[in-house]
Amino acid sequence: MVHRVSGIALAVFLPLHFWVLGIAIEGEARLDSALAWTEQPLVKLGEWAIVLGLAAHLGGGLRVLALEFLPWRDWQKGLAATAAALTVAVGLALALAL
């Protein structure tokens, strides 16, 4: 479920990201105003959420690949739980680096 929700969130984010990149073509003043808007605390929180969602989506994708290509055994359930914990840890570490 986390993999799907994070994928949808990333799909919603991408057009917004491309829109801001398109603003850069319109001129320096327009880009500066858009970049000033990104300094708001709510936008910073959104950036943190996007990074966490990206890490969660990566972890979920690796889990799906493991299920698809590896023979699934009981010990791998613990490995999947470890991967999920590592995903959250990496996401939080990246978020704190912002």
Side-chain angles (χ1 to χ4, degrees), residues 29-46:
R30 182 104 163 102
L31 179 62
D32 285 342
S33 67
L35 291 177
W37 178 79
T38 64
E39 294 299 321
Q40 297 180 27
L42 192 58
V43 176
K44 291 291 184 184
L45 181 66

Side-chain angles (χ1 to χ4, degrees), residues 48-71:
W48 175 84
I50 287 295
V51 170
L52 185 61
L54 184 60
H57 194 68
L58 172 66
L62 292 174
R63 183 189 66 82
V64 169
L65 286 172
L67 287 172
E68 187 71 27
F69 293 113
L70 298 174

